mmCIF file of all heavy atoms in Angstrom:
data_model
loop_
_atom_site.group_PDB
_atom_site.id
_atom_site.type_symbol
_atom_site.label_atom_id
_atom_site.label_comp_id
_atom_site.label_asym_id
_atom_site.label_seq_id
_atom_site.Cartn_x
_atom_site.Cartn_y
_atom_site.Cartn_z
ATOM 1 N N ALA F 1719 -166.596 18.743 122.640
ATOM 2 C CA ALA F 1719 -166.742 20.117 122.230
ATOM 3 C C ALA F 1719 -166.817 21.164 123.402
ATOM 4 O O ALA F 1719 -166.143 22.315 123.267
ATOM 5 C CB ALA F 1719 -168.049 20.166 121.473
ATOM 6 N N LEU F 1720 -167.503 20.848 124.505
ATOM 7 C CA LEU F 1720 -167.358 21.670 125.591
ATOM 8 C C LEU F 1720 -165.931 21.730 126.276
ATOM 9 O O LEU F 1720 -165.542 22.789 126.576
ATOM 10 C CB LEU F 1720 -168.327 21.114 126.703
ATOM 11 C CG LEU F 1720 -169.814 21.279 126.454
ATOM 12 C CD1 LEU F 1720 -170.723 20.331 127.368
ATOM 13 C CD2 LEU F 1720 -170.249 22.645 126.579
ATOM 14 N N TRP F 1721 -165.215 20.656 126.353
ATOM 15 C CA TRP F 1721 -163.776 20.678 126.702
ATOM 16 C C TRP F 1721 -162.956 21.463 125.907
ATOM 17 O O TRP F 1721 -162.118 22.235 126.392
ATOM 18 C CB TRP F 1721 -163.281 19.184 126.946
ATOM 19 C CG TRP F 1721 -161.831 19.155 127.214
ATOM 20 C CD1 TRP F 1721 -160.831 18.775 126.463
ATOM 21 C CD2 TRP F 1721 -161.297 19.431 128.458
ATOM 22 N NE1 TRP F 1721 -159.598 18.932 127.138
ATOM 23 C CE2 TRP F 1721 -159.937 19.398 128.390
ATOM 24 C CE3 TRP F 1721 -161.800 19.823 129.789
ATOM 25 C CZ2 TRP F 1721 -159.103 19.465 129.479
ATOM 26 C CZ3 TRP F 1721 -161.000 20.040 130.881
ATOM 27 C CH2 TRP F 1721 -159.741 19.862 130.661
ATOM 28 N N ASN F 1722 -163.216 21.547 124.554
ATOM 29 C CA ASN F 1722 -162.467 22.370 123.697
ATOM 30 C C ASN F 1722 -162.571 23.855 124.049
ATOM 31 O O ASN F 1722 -161.597 24.722 124.046
ATOM 32 C CB ASN F 1722 -162.710 22.146 122.246
ATOM 33 C CG ASN F 1722 -162.176 20.724 121.823
ATOM 34 O OD1 ASN F 1722 -161.167 20.231 122.319
ATOM 35 N ND2 ASN F 1722 -162.695 20.158 120.780
ATOM 36 N N VAL F 1723 -163.819 24.218 124.387
ATOM 37 C CA VAL F 1723 -164.029 25.558 124.764
ATOM 38 C C VAL F 1723 -163.244 25.885 126.107
ATOM 39 O O VAL F 1723 -162.629 26.902 126.028
ATOM 40 C CB VAL F 1723 -165.623 25.823 125.055
ATOM 41 C CG1 VAL F 1723 -165.882 27.236 125.569
ATOM 42 C CG2 VAL F 1723 -166.292 25.641 123.714
ATOM 43 N N ALA F 1724 -163.359 25.063 127.091
ATOM 44 C CA ALA F 1724 -162.576 25.218 128.262
ATOM 45 C C ALA F 1724 -161.141 25.287 128.029
ATOM 46 O O ALA F 1724 -160.380 26.264 128.576
ATOM 47 C CB ALA F 1724 -162.910 24.085 129.373
ATOM 48 N N SER F 1725 -160.459 24.531 127.273
ATOM 49 C CA SER F 1725 -159.192 24.378 126.868
ATOM 50 C C SER F 1725 -158.659 25.634 126.120
ATOM 51 O O SER F 1725 -157.470 26.101 126.385
ATOM 52 C CB SER F 1725 -158.752 23.165 126.014
ATOM 53 O OG SER F 1725 -159.116 22.014 126.720
ATOM 54 N N ALA F 1726 -159.604 26.135 125.394
ATOM 55 C CA ALA F 1726 -159.188 27.429 124.595
ATOM 56 C C ALA F 1726 -159.296 28.596 125.462
ATOM 57 O O ALA F 1726 -158.525 29.569 125.079
ATOM 58 C CB ALA F 1726 -160.049 27.526 123.391
ATOM 59 N N ARG F 1727 -160.037 28.588 126.467
ATOM 60 C CA ARG F 1727 -160.369 29.905 127.173
ATOM 61 C C ARG F 1727 -159.486 29.961 128.550
ATOM 62 O O ARG F 1727 -159.624 31.017 129.097
ATOM 63 C CB ARG F 1727 -161.819 30.197 127.407
ATOM 64 C CG ARG F 1727 -162.552 30.437 126.081
ATOM 65 C CD ARG F 1727 -164.078 30.694 126.386
ATOM 66 N NE ARG F 1727 -164.732 30.941 125.154
ATOM 67 C CZ ARG F 1727 -166.091 31.104 125.003
ATOM 68 N NH1 ARG F 1727 -166.838 31.051 126.073
ATOM 69 N NH2 ARG F 1727 -166.601 31.391 123.787
ATOM 70 N N LEU F 1728 -159.077 28.806 128.940
ATOM 71 C CA LEU F 1728 -158.505 28.754 130.316
ATOM 72 C C LEU F 1728 -157.080 28.327 130.194
ATOM 73 O O LEU F 1728 -156.749 27.676 129.182
ATOM 74 C CB LEU F 1728 -159.347 27.818 131.279
ATOM 75 C CG LEU F 1728 -160.761 28.210 131.449
ATOM 76 C CD1 LEU F 1728 -161.505 26.991 132.223
ATOM 77 C CD2 LEU F 1728 -160.898 29.496 132.213
ATOM 78 N N THR F 1729 -156.345 28.479 131.240
ATOM 79 C CA THR F 1729 -154.976 27.881 131.320
ATOM 80 C C THR F 1729 -155.115 26.377 131.431
ATOM 81 O O THR F 1729 -156.201 25.890 131.979
ATOM 82 C CB THR F 1729 -154.261 28.441 132.531
ATOM 83 O OG1 THR F 1729 -154.725 28.005 133.672
ATOM 84 C CG2 THR F 1729 -154.063 29.882 132.404
ATOM 85 N N PRO F 1730 -154.029 25.524 131.058
ATOM 86 C CA PRO F 1730 -154.287 24.023 131.171
ATOM 87 C C PRO F 1730 -154.414 23.697 132.636
ATOM 88 O O PRO F 1730 -155.194 22.711 132.840
ATOM 89 C CB PRO F 1730 -152.875 23.644 130.576
ATOM 90 C CG PRO F 1730 -152.439 24.592 129.638
ATOM 91 C CD PRO F 1730 -152.895 25.942 130.200
#
Side-chain angles (χ1 to χ4, degrees):
L1720 289 167
W1721 174 252
N1722 287 339
V1723 174
S1725 295
R1727 293 182 178 176
L1728 304 173
T1729 65

